[in-house]
């Protein structure tokens, strides 16, 4: 048995020019800065709230939008990103808030640009404050955006990683997106089984199709669902042997979780335990899937395997062949 990265990513690991990565990272940072303001307003932060607070945030939102155009990033932002930034403060809709899933993609791009030292485990998130500090970008100051992008415009930019490290990072991303998609398929096994038995020729999207599309799982992968109970242990063993995952637990990907402690315990002294991937609560499984999807999106785009910055395109990448059995 061999554990392989997705064929489409393994063909050739050739990155886009670094200035393109820097432009994309800058767009992400601007929209995520706006996301922070909108999320804080939506959640209603504790403490005294005054009209001056709203005035200050309105000015911050306007400054971020102005920076988009003054820096020239509007030529590189997606139509969705420009629409989101053009909206007045406190008028975002649900679909806009989902953009917060791109924090992990920003982390990967910064790693590719040499601004982030390491990619955290796939059950941990990047430090968001550090991601903002790494670039030196002040979202309301277009000159800082230009300075960041200009630093990658030289004809020769030395990467902080070699081809082996890049391939390893891609392989790790492939392993975790495969496991996340496998979990989605496990949850839909009954629906998939019924659909296969009925051999429906419906031309309209079915609830099963919608569920797969919403979670960016290629439609053709549903044929793997029936064999997943046997396949997952093999995948876990392969991933562990190739050091793409740190632990195996109950023949599955091991997830390190912090133990609940009585009273305050310093972060460095907290105890952890390893649990099997499927033993997590549904909201934690969803969080793992979003981490894997966001990082996978960043690698796929940076390697030129999808044309645009669109999570839906990763759901169309069907050339996945992580597990093969050989005698």
């Amino acid at each position: 048995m061999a554990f392989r990265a997705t064929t489409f990513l393994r063909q050739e690991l050739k990155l886009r020019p670094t200035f393109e990565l820097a432009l994309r990272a800058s767009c992400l940072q601007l929209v995520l800065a706006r996301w922070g303001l909108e999320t804080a307003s939506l959640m209603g932060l504790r403490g005294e709230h005054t009209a001056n607070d709203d005035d200050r945030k309105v000015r911050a939102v306007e400054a971020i939008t102005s920076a988009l155009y003054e820096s020239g990033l509007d030529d590189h932002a997606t139509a969705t990103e420009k629409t989101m930034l053009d909206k007045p403060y406190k008028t975002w809709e649900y679909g806009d808030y989902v953009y917060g899933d791109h924090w992990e993609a920003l982390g990967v791009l910064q790693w590719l640009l040499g601004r982030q030292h390491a990619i955290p485990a796939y059950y941990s998130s990047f430090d968001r404050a550090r991601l903002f500090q790494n670039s030196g970008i002040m979202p309301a100051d277009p000159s800082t955006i230009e300075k960041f992008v200009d630093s990658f415009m030289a004809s020769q930019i030395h990467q902080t990683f070699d081809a082996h490290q890049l391939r390893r990072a891609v392989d790790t991303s492939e392993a975790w997106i495969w496991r996340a998609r496998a979990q989605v398929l496990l949850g839909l096994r009954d629906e998939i089984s019924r659909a296969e038995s009925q051999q429906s020729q419906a031309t309209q999207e079915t609830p099963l199709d919608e569920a797969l599309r919403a979670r960016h799982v290629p439609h053709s992968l549903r044929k793997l669902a029936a064999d997943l109970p046997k396949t997952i242990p093999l995948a876990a063993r392969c991933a562990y042997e190739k050091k793409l995952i740190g632990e195996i637990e109950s023949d599955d990907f091991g997830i390190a979780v912090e133990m609940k402690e009585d009273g305050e315990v310093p972060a460095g002294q907290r105890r952890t335990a390893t649990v099997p991937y499927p033993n997590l609560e549904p909201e934690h499984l969803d969080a793992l899937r979003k981490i894997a999807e966001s990082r996978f999106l960043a690698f796929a785009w940076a390697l030129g395997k999808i044309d645009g910055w669109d999570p839906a395109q990763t759901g169309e990448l069907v050339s996945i062949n992580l597990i093969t059995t050989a005698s």
Side-chain angles (χ1 to χ4, degrees):
M1 182 185 70
F3 191 93
R4 300 175 182 170
T6 299
T7 301
F8 85 94
L9 281 181
R10 291 284 288 194
Q11 290 172 353
E12 183 182 6
L13 297 185
K14 184 177 181 180
L15 289 167
R16 294 175 186 264
T18 52
F19 74 87
E20 287 190 28
L21 305 185
L23 286 166
R24 175 93 306 264
S26 299
C27 292
L28 286 177
Q29 187 160 341
L30 277 194
V31 184
L32 288 171
R34 172 68 182 271
W35 176 89
L37 292 169
E38 295 289 350
T39 301
S41 171
L42 183 68
M43 296 179 65
L45 295 180
R46 295 179 181 178
E48 185 177 355
H49 182 80
T50 67
N52 287 335
D53 293 329
D54 268 349
D55 290 341
R56 178 176 56 81
K57 289 176 181 176
V58 167
R59 290 195 298 272
V61 164
E62 292 173 348
I64 291 171
T65 304
S66 295
L68 174 74
Y69 294 98
E70 292 178 22
S71 65
L73 277 183
D74 56 308
D75 290 333
H76 307 281
T78 66
T80 298
E81 289 169 339
K82 286 187 282 189
T83 298
M84 291 167 63
L85 290 182
D86 284 337
K87 289 181 179 180
Y89 179 49
K90 289 186 177 181
T91 63
W92 271 19
E93 301 173 5
Y94 172 78
D96 299 323
Y97 289 100
V98 175
Y99 199 91
D101 293 343
H102 286 324
W103 280 102
E104 297 303 303
L106 176 60
V108 168
L109 291 180
Q110 288 198 0
W111 180 78
L112 291 171
L113 290 167
R115 296 298 180 99
Q116 173 70 30
H117 177 66
I119 298 175
Y122 274 68
Y123 43 79
S124 301
S125 300
F126 284 96
D127 184 321
R128 295 179 177 182
R130 185 174 296 278
L131 289 180
F132 264 42
Q133 295 167 2
N134 287 344
S135 68
I137 289 176
M138 303 284 289
D141 184 351
S143 68
T144 62
I145 299 171
E146 295 166 6
K147 181 178 179 181
F148 174 69
V149 175
D150 286 348
S151 68
F152 297 100
M153 294 296 286
S155 58
Q156 298 247 347
I157 298 290
H158 294 288
Q159 301 285 2
T160 58
F161 50 83
D162 58 26
H164 173 75
Q165 290 171 311
L166 176 59
R167 187 171 297 281
R168 182 178 181 80
V170 171
D171 287 354
T172 302
S173 176
E174 289 282 0
W176 285 97
I177 191 65
W178 183 89
R179 185 60 189 85
R181 287 171 167 175
Q183 194 63 33
V184 172
L185 292 170
L186 282 173
L188 295 171
R189 284 180 72 198
D190 290 343
E191 291 88 338
I192 291 172
S193 179
R194 283 195 296 270
E196 294 296 332
S197 63
Q198 294 170 1
Q199 295 184 344
S200 174
Q201 299 297 319
T203 57
Q204 294 184 341
E205 185 176 63
T206 66
L208 174 59
D209 295 330
E210 183 180 355
L212 293 174
R213 178 178 54 78
R215 294 167 179 81
H216 307 128
V217 178
H219 187 273
S220 65
L221 290 185
R222 68 183 193 176
K223 63 179 178 291
L224 302 178
D227 293 329
L228 282 174
K230 297 178 182 178
T231 305
I232 287 174
L234 300 177
R237 175 57 58 185
C238 284
Y240 181 73
E241 290 175 352
K242 291 185 174 293
K243 299 182 180 180
L244 304 179
I245 63 174
E247 299 286 346
I248 291 180
E249 188 67 28
S250 300
D251 290 330
D252 209 326
F253 286 41
I255 307 296
V257 298
E258 288 188 355
M259 303 287 288
K260 292 184 178 180
E261 305 278 3
D262 294 330
E264 294 292 329
V265 178
Q269 299 178 20
R270 294 172 185 165
R271 295 183 300 161
T272 61
T274 303
V275 301
Y277 193 106
N279 283 23
L280 298 175
E281 295 295 328
E283 62 270 23
H284 294 149
L285 288 172
D286 196 49
L288 288 188
R289 177 178 60 82
K290 290 179 178 179
I291 288 173
E293 285 181 356
S294 185
R295 296 181 187 181
F296 182 71
L297 167 64
F299 278 119
W301 180 86
L303 291 165
K305 305 306 179 181
I306 56 177
D307 296 330
W309 187 262
D310 182 3
Q313 288 193 28
T314 63
E316 298 170 1
L317 299 174
V318 298
S319 301
I320 292 183
N321 188 29
L322 280 171
I323 307 301
T324 59
T325 302
S327 57

